[in-house]
Amino acid sequence: MNKQPTRRSTLLAAAIGAVLVFGAVTQVNAQTASERSAQRRAAKDSKPAKQENQYPNATRTAPEAKASSKGGAKLQKMMDAFDKEKFPEARAQADAIIADAGLNPYERSFAAQIGFQVAYDADDNKAAIEYLKKAIEINGLDNNAHFDRMFVLAQLQLQEEQYAESLATMDRFLNESKSTKPEHLIVKGNALYRLERYPDAAKIIKQAVDASPDPKQEWLQLLMASYVENNQGAEAAKVAESIAAKNPNDKRAQMNVAAVYSQSDMLDKAAAVLEKMRAAGQFTEDKDYRQLYATYLNLDKKEKEAIGVINEGLQKGILKPDYQAYVALAQAYYYSDQIGPAVDAYKKAAPLAPDGETYLNLARVLWQEDRIPEAKEAAKQAIAKGVKKPEDANKILALKGK
């Protein structure tokens, strides 16, 4: 009887186990209580240095940052409570100062900063955001403090998944401060990425990377992910390769290279990277073997290589002996004309399958091999478990033969 090959499944997308690392949301630069105490102790023992203007090109004219005699006393009382870690008391005093329209903008903005710090230390990010907005809105701080608070606000909004708000804050920050520092640009790029504005994200992240003499790995990862999402496979591959080259022993970096190659239809390159990792003993997880065997099954005439990968993973106990592994093994054997092992693999896969389709494929293979009684039994199992076209199983059941 003539062999009729069963329809081949595409397994690559489901089997890729490497996860592209997105740029981590930048952490807010807020001091801990112990750090603040140490800073104050050091300050008492030294003369205050003149602070460098961190934003020399800013369009904002900095107001006079000075406390009045009335406001100064209230600020000192608030700071005494803060230094003694009486945080609820310090926050209440900060709220009172912010609400007092008779105090000057510096005093009220300064109090809003303390309110932010107390709220942030208490993990009350919603309130922390509102305090930062007040500090900026009241507009009483010098440029360094004003823009630093605005930048922290953008980061905190990003952490809280307020991506549109974070982007708006960063647009204002960059427009008014005129900063071109890469650590500032990357936050805007992160917000754009999370808003799925991938072309815009890639452009500004690339600008940040190019402006930095030693760009952070997470920046490069974010750029790579932006290129992937924008279907710029060649550019993504270049970034992934550069990360992997700097981190030859970093498994995640190598897996990301393979994942980018796979998503960009450069499967031969993906297989080469994965094989190198397998030879180096870096395949320690189920998903490692799945990614490699799926890659081979989507390359022409690589079934034997897929078989070797699956069997090795199963023998080592790393690859889970589940439906996906056994059906992939069955297909690999079938398409390399190894019918006996294919039948054995289908018999292991079929009971684990979510429906009767694998039993039906087994029945077809057995029918093609003139193993009619076995084919009929598999067809019965297919119907019992449920198939899309029971008439196909019934045709096998209607066959004559022993």
Side-chain angles (χ1 to χ4, degrees):
M1 189 169 293
N2 294 330
K3 290 185 179 181
Q4 299 294 328
T6 55
R7 182 172 60 86
R8 187 171 186 176
S9 300
T10 301
L11 302 175
L12 181 62
I16 289 179
V19 177
L20 293 177
V21 180
F22 302 158
V25 175
T26 308
Q27 295 299 307
V28 174
N29 182 22
Q31 291 179 310
T32 65
S34 60
E35 288 172 337
R36 291 192 299 271
S37 298
Q39 188 178 64
R40 292 192 184 93
R41 286 195 300 271
K44 289 178 181 179
D45 298 330
S46 61
K47 294 181 179 180
K50 185 177 180 181
Q51 194 176 27
E52 179 186 355
N53 183 5
Q54 300 294 324
Y55 303 95
N57 299 318
T59 59
R60 175 181 183 259
T61 300
E64 182 180 359
K66 185 177 180 180
S68 64
S69 56
K70 175 186 175 183
K74 292 187 175 185
L75 291 180
Q76 186 60 56
K77 185 178 179 182
M78 175 188 67
M79 290 307 300
D80 286 343
F82 186 70
D83 288 342
K84 293 175 182 177
E85 299 187 5
K86 296 180 179 180
F87 299 128
E89 183 179 331
R91 183 170 173 178
Q93 291 171 5
D95 288 339
I97 294 170
I98 294 167
D100 189 344
L103 297 179
N104 68 38
Y106 168 73
E107 293 157 345
R108 296 171 64 214
S109 292
F110 186 90
Q113 287 190 108
I114 298 304
F116 154 73
Q117 191 68 62
V118 172
Y120 182 79
D121 287 347
D123 293 325
D124 186 356
N125 287 351
K126 182 178 179 180
I129 286 173
E130 293 307 313
Y131 279 118
L132 287 172
K133 288 179 179 178
K134 288 177 183 177
I136 296 164
E137 178 186 351
I138 295 169
N139 199 34
L141 302 172
D142 64 26
N143 274 1
N144 283 356
H146 179 81
F147 288 119
D148 285 350
R149 296 303 89 186
M150 195 182 296
F151 183 55
V152 170
L153 173 60
Q155 294 174 85
L156 192 53
Q157 288 169 326
L158 199 58
Q159 283 190 7
E160 293 300 299
E161 299 183 2
Q162 298 177 15
Y163 303 137
E165 293 86 346
S166 177
L167 178 60
T169 300
M170 281 309 302
D171 280 337
R172 178 183 174 185
F173 170 86
L174 293 170
N175 182 55
E176 294 181 6
S177 71
K178 300 303 179 184
S179 173
T180 57
K181 293 180 179 179
E183 59 267 28
H184 295 156
L185 297 175
I186 201 69
V187 174
K188 179 177 179 178
N190 205 331
L192 286 166
Y193 176 85
R194 293 168 194 282
L195 287 168
E196 299 182 5
R197 292 173 54 180
Y198 302 122
D200 294 332
K203 183 178 179 181
I204 196 163
I205 295 166
K206 180 69 161 55
Q207 184 180 344
V209 167
D210 290 345
S212 175
D214 186 22
K216 295 181 179 179
Q217 183 167 313
E218 57 264 32
W219 298 5
L220 296 171
Q221 291 167 339
L222 187 59
L223 178 59
M224 175 183 66
S226 299
Y227 282 143
V228 168
E229 296 292 352
N230 200 41
N231 297 316
Q232 294 177 268
E235 289 82 356
K238 289 178 183 177
V239 178
E241 289 164 353
S242 70
I243 296 173
K246 293 179 181 178
N247 304 276
N249 298 318
D250 186 335
K251 178 180 175 180
R252 177 175 287 181
Q254 305 302 320
M255 292 298 283
N256 276 344
V257 175
V260 170
Y261 283 149
S262 295
Q263 293 182 22
S264 304
D265 292 326
M266 294 184 277
L267 299 181
D268 53 342
K269 289 188 175 183
V273 171
L274 293 168
E275 275 295 3
K276 186 176 179 180
M277 293 178 66
R278 182 164 74 118
Q282 290 182 304
F283 273 22
T284 57
E285 299 177 77
D286 174 85
K287 64 184 180 180
D288 303 337
Y289 280 97
R290 291 184 191 277
Q291 184 169 354
L292 181 52
Y293 80 61
T295 302
Y296 277 136
L297 286 177
N298 282 271
L299 284 167
D300 290 335
K301 299 179 180 180
K302 292 293 182 179
E303 290 83 7
K304 290 182 179 179
E305 287 80 355
I307 290 167
V309 171
I310 295 170
N311 282 331
E312 178 184 288
L314 292 172
Q315 290 164 6
K316 289 186 174 182
I318 298 174
L319 180 62
K320 296 176 184 177
D322 59 13
Y323 163 72
Q324 290 180 336
Y326 282 128
V327 80
L329 184 60
Q331 290 179 0
Y333 276 130
Y334 184 86
Y335 286 102
S336 59
D337 293 321
Q338 300 181 69
I339 304 304
V343 168
D344 292 340
Y346 270 126
K347 286 182 177 180
K348 292 178 180 178
L352 303 174
D355 52 38
E357 297 296 335
T358 304
Y359 269 119
L360 183 54
N361 276 340
L362 172 59
R364 288 168 176 151
V365 174
L366 291 167
W367 166 44
Q368 291 163 1
E369 293 299 302
D370 291 327
R371 295 165 63 173
I372 304 304
E374 293 175 83
K376 287 184 176 183
E377 181 58 33
K380 288 179 184 178
Q381 296 285 349
I383 292 173
K385 204 162 186 180
V387 289
K388 294 179 181 178
K389 294 182 177 180
E391 60 270 22
D392 290 349
N394 285 326
K395 287 178 182 179
I396 294 175
L397 288 173
L399 292 172
K400 294 181 180 180
K402 295 182 180 181

